[in-house]
């Protein structure tokens, strides 16, 4: 695409701001949709009375839960696979100080925990970026970038909240930690960020990982409520990526079809 | 009130014949659908667990479809048919094909609408912002790819490819483009509506499709349409702010954008489905 020479700013910010005056209200208005999906999952759990999951997992589901781990193989936990006395897959993680009343994370709950951990990592990374900007370590930060970072961070916080609500409804611990497997790559990359473009590039990579993970999870999730939650979040991560592409001066919708490249698996380390 | 018993008798016989014809037609359709389900299971293409997974969603979509016709709602047959159609044996391919054909119809409409837009000087001609023109061209191509993919999926499930547009939205597009717009604003707004409709329809369908491949395909497209929405929202805002020059792919451009430009394209934390289209809206008979 041909680039256009820039021109002096004659922006009517008031007009543009007026278009987003109710942004926060609109954002809040979407929450009931998510709550309905989470409630559907809770109802499904109740109706099943914690029945064991079927032993025969689909190929995509098993692949998602086990993952290839090719990039971060040194940090992987034992893979899921067998079925315990409760009919749940073994090898799942226990979050925090698990008690007898709290069950391990397997199946859709493992996916929910993974999603929450990626969302938490995104929240923390945007927070670190905003703090670096405030400290002046990124040079001059355009107001549009700061506004984007705050809004995207809020979205990711809401996403983490949705998944944690799912976990809580299923009598699992909430996930307050991050995907440490991904963080292992984010930390050294963030250490090298010294300008807004570098931060935007890092954020873009995280958004792509999140979107790819949700896309892949849609093939693996069995519960309809959980599927709706994932389907309601994946497009939002894609939108974040589009805006970041645009901010970087890149074509904002480069792919005709979303990709699973870079998707994380439920074997990632969380903590 | 006098009653002509002879005429009443004829009416009853006629009614019974009509009912028998209707039942025979329904039974033939049901048999065909059940046979499709049997074939699919024989090929190992059905995960029994997915019956629970999508049954509620399919039932909801079918209810919308049946109530939409109005004809069945008052007879009681609608409820019975709903119960039969909600069974996986009947509905898996049938409703999947409907959703895929409707999806293709949305893509076809997007292609034709962007094509018309490119015929406008301020979108595709010499008076156009080059970034906007390039975006419309590329987006049109992407929708054509989506249509082909949805039709390939429908064909794989023994459905016919949908080459026409969504008939309901086509009327809305015709109204929006009559008289011909003279500025980009209304055209961009129309594109936003179409992209939102597509994105929300696919998000809705992801939870309802029973075929895993169709579900994955739909999921891979919904986010792309959402990205189109984001960029169009930003374009619309800048056009309405009379700052079209800021619609440019230039790394230095971001410093000139106002604060609100960073958020206008990401209005929601969760995708909505309120503008999703009914499963059968663009389906072939």
């Amino acid at each position: 695409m041909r680039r256009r020479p820039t021109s002096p700013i004659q922006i009517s910010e008031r007009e543009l701001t007026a278009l987003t005056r109710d942004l926060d209200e609109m954002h809040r208005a979407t929450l009931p949709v998510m709550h309905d999906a989470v409630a559907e999952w809770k109802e499904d759990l109740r109706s099943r009375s914690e029945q064991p999951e079927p032993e025969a997992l689909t190929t995509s589901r098993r692949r998602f839960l086990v993952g290839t781990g090719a990039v971060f193989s040194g940090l992987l936990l034992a893979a899921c696979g067998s079925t315990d006395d409760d009919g749940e897959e073994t090898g799942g993680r226990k979050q925090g100080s698990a008690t007898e009343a709290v069950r391990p994370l397997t199946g859709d709950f493992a996916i929910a925990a993974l999603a929450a951990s990626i969302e938490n990592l995104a929240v923390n990374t945007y927070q670190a970026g905003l703090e670096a900007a405030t400290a002046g370590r990124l040079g001059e930060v355009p107001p549009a970038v700061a506004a984007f970072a705050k809004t995207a961070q809020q979205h990711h916080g809401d996403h983490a909240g949705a998944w944690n609500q799912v976990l809580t409804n299923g009598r699992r611990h909430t996930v307050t930690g991050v995907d440490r497997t991904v963080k292992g790559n984010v930390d050294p990359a963030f250490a090298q960020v010294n300008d807004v473009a570098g931060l935007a590039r890092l954020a873009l990579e995280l958004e792509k990982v999140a979107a790819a993970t949700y896309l892949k999870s849609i093939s693996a999730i069995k519960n309809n409520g959980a599927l709706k939650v994932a389907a309601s979040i994946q497009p939002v991560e894609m939108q974040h990526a589009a805006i970041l592409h645009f901010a970087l001066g890149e074509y904002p919708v480069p792919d005709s079809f979303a990709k699973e490249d870079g998707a994380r698996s439920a074997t990632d380390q969380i903590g | 009130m006098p009653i002509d018993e002879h005429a009443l008798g004829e009416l009853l016989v006629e009614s019974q014949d009509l009912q028998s014809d209707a039942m025979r037609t329904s039974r033939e359709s049901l048999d065909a659908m059940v046979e499709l389900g049997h074939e699919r299971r024989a090929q190992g293409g059905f995960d029994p667990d997915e019956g629970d997974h999508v049954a509620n969603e399919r039932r909801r979509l079918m209810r919308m479809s049946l109530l939409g016709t109005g004809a069945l709602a008052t007879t009681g047959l609608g409820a019975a048919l709903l119960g039969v159609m909600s069974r996986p044996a009947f509905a898996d391919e049938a409703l999947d094909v409907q959703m895929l054909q409707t999806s293709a119809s949305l893509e076809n409409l997007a292609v034709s609408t962007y094509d018309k837009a490119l015929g406008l000087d301020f979108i595709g001609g010499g008076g156009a912002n080059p970034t906007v023109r390039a975006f419309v061209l590329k987006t049109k191509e992407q929708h054509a790819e989506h249509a082909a993919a949805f039709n390939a999926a429908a064909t794989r499930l023994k459905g016919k490819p949908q080459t026409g547009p969504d008939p309901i939205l086509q009327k809305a597009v015709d109204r929006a483009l009559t008289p011909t717009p003279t500025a980009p604003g209304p055209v961009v707004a129309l594109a936003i509506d179409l992209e939102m409709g597509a994105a929300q329809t696919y998000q809705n369908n992801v939870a309802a499709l029973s075929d895993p491949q169709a579900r994955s395909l739909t999921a891979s497209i919904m986010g792309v349409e959402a990205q189109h929405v984001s960029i169009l929202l930003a374009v619309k805002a800048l056009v309405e702010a009379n700052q079209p020059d800021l619609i440019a792919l230039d790394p230095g451009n971001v410093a000139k954008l106002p604060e609100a430009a960073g958020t206008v394209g990401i209005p929601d934390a969760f995708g909505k489905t309120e503008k999703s289209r009914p499963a059968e809206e663009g389906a072939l008979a």
Side-chain angles (χ1 to χ4, degrees):
Chain A
M1 187 177 293
R2 186 158 61 91
R3 288 180 178 170
R4 190 175 174 81
T6 56
S7 58
I9 309 172
Q10 298 292 332
I11 189 69
S12 173
E13 187 161 354
R14 188 173 60 179
E15 291 172 285
L16 199 51
T17 301
L19 293 170
T20 55
R21 184 177 300 149
D22 297 329
L23 180 66
D24 190 57
E25 290 180 17
M26 291 170 65
H27 160 72
R28 295 295 163 195
T30 63
L31 292 179
V33 178
M34 180 275 298
H35 286 306
D36 288 346
V38 173
E40 184 177 333
W41 191 349
K42 187 176 183 179
E43 182 58 33
D44 182 61
L45 286 172
R46 184 180 295 119
S47 66
R48 290 167 184 263
S49 301
E50 297 284 359
Q51 290 177 3
E53 291 190 29
E55 291 185 27
L57 297 173
T58 62
T59 302
S60 60
R61 178 173 173 83
R62 185 176 297 277
R63 190 173 68 239
F64 185 91
L65 293 174
V66 174
T68 62
V71 178
F72 304 107
S73 56
L75 298 173
L76 297 184
L77 293 177
C80 303
S82 59
T83 304
D84 64 16
D85 292 342
D86 293 331
E88 298 215 45
E89 302 146 47
T90 59
R93 294 177 298 270
K94 292 190 177 183
Q95 294 299 307
S97 56
T99 66
E100 290 185 1
V102 178
R103 310 183 71 180
L105 299 174
T106 59
D108 288 351
F109 290 114
I111 296 172
L114 171 70
S117 73
I118 291 174
E119 299 292 355
N120 288 338
L121 179 61
V123 169
N124 292 356
T125 304
Y126 277 112
Q127 182 62 34
L130 288 165
E131 289 173 0
T134 304
R137 296 202 299 272
L138 304 179
E140 189 170 348
V141 178
V145 171
F148 170 83
K150 290 174 186 170
T151 302
Q153 183 192 33
Q154 186 180 22
H155 287 178
H156 288 299
D158 289 338
H159 300 166
W163 290 116
N164 275 327
Q165 190 176 336
V166 164
L167 291 167
T168 303
N169 289 345
R171 290 193 293 111
R172 271 73 174 177
H173 280 301
T174 58
V175 173
T176 56
V178 302
D179 185 321
R180 297 185 65 81
T181 311
V182 178
K183 187 174 186 294
N185 274 16
V186 168
D187 285 349
F190 187 80
Q192 296 181 7
V193 169
N194 56 16
D195 59 13
V196 169
L199 180 63
R201 179 71 58 196
L202 179 58
L204 175 60
E205 292 306 313
L206 261 181
E207 297 288 359
K208 287 162 75 172
V209 165
T213 302
Y214 283 120
L215 180 61
K216 193 173 179 182
S217 76
I218 284 169
S219 300
I221 290 173
K222 303 185 85 67
N223 179 279
N224 211 46
L227 186 60
K228 285 182 177 179
V229 173
S232 73
I233 295 176
Q234 190 266 355
V236 176
E237 317 298 44
M238 294 279 286
Q239 289 184 319
H240 292 169
I243 296 299
L244 286 165
H245 273 302
F246 183 72
L248 288 163
E250 300 170 349
Y251 192 79
V253 193
D255 300 314
S256 298
F257 299 89
K259 299 175 179 176
E260 293 184 2
D261 298 350
R264 304 310 311 158
S265 77
T267 53
D268 276 10
Q269 189 177 22
I270 298 173
Chain B
M1 180 179 174
I3 298 176
D4 184 340
E5 291 188 10
H6 177 69
L8 183 60
E10 286 184 343
L11 280 173
L12 284 172
V13 169
E14 188 176 344
S15 173
Q16 287 170 344
D17 288 343
L18 283 170
Q19 185 192 16
S20 297
D21 290 344
M23 290 303 293
R24 185 166 54 249
T25 303
S26 298
R27 199 174 297 117
E28 287 170 357
S29 298
L30 286 166
D31 289 343
M33 291 302 171
V34 169
E35 182 61 27
L36 279 174
H38 287 163
E39 286 179 10
R40 184 173 171 183
R41 282 166 185 74
Q43 295 166 359
F46 182 79
D47 176 1
D49 298 325
E50 288 174 342
D52 287 345
H53 188 269
V54 299
N56 289 339
E57 208 59 30
R58 286 207 306 266
R59 190 175 294 113
R60 187 179 64 78
L61 287 172
M62 287 174 188
R63 186 178 296 113
M64 288 169 59
S65 301
L66 290 174
L67 292 178
T69 67
L72 296 174
T74 58
T75 64
L77 179 59
L81 189 56
L82 184 62
V84 173
M85 289 175 67
S86 298
R87 294 172 193 158
F90 179 95
D92 46 9
E93 280 96 354
L95 188 58
D96 281 4
V97 167
Q98 279 197 332
M99 285 188 276
L100 291 166
Q101 289 172 337
T102 293
S103 298
S105 77
L106 295 174
E107 300 293 346
N108 293 334
L109 179 60
V111 170
S112 63
T113 303
Y114 280 116
D115 203 39
K116 287 177 184 171
L118 286 166
L120 302 170
D121 181 68
F122 51 83
I123 297 291
N129 175 305
T131 301
V132 171
R133 182 171 61 235
F135 178 80
V136 172
L137 273 168
K138 176 74 172 176
T139 302
K140 177 189 156 190
E141 290 174 8
Q142 291 177 328
H143 284 300
E145 291 181 52
H146 298 167
F150 279 129
N151 275 330
T155 303
R156 185 176 58 79
L157 294 178
K158 300 180 176 64
K160 295 177 182 175
Q162 171 58 282
T163 57
D166 179 300
I168 305 300
L169 292 184
Q170 176 68 72
K171 293 174 184 172
V173 169
D174 290 343
R175 284 195 299 271
L177 296 180
T178 307
T180 302
T182 56
V187 180
V188 175
L190 174 62
I192 290 170
D193 283 343
L194 291 181
E195 298 283 3
M196 275 188 177
Q200 296 190 17
T201 299
Y202 305 156
Q203 182 184 325
N204 208 36
N205 289 354
V206 159
L209 284 160
S210 64
D211 181 79
Q213 292 180 49
R215 188 189 311 147
S216 292
L217 170 67
T218 302
S220 76
I221 295 175
M222 68 178 178
V224 176
E225 316 300 39
Q227 289 185 317
H228 292 159
V229 171
S230 274
I231 299 307
L232 288 165
L233 285 171
V235 167
K236 179 172 181 283
L238 291 169
V239 166
E240 290 179 347
N242 200 28
Q243 292 297 318
D245 285 351
L246 291 174
I247 306 169
L249 297 184
D250 181 346
N253 196 46
V254 67
K256 303 169 186 172
L257 292 170
E259 180 177 352
T263 57
V264 70
I266 49 171
D268 302 314
F270 298 91
K272 299 176 179 176
T273 57
E274 64 200 19
K275 292 186 178 178
S276 65
R277 308 307 304 173
E280 81 288 356
E281 185 167 280
L284 296 166

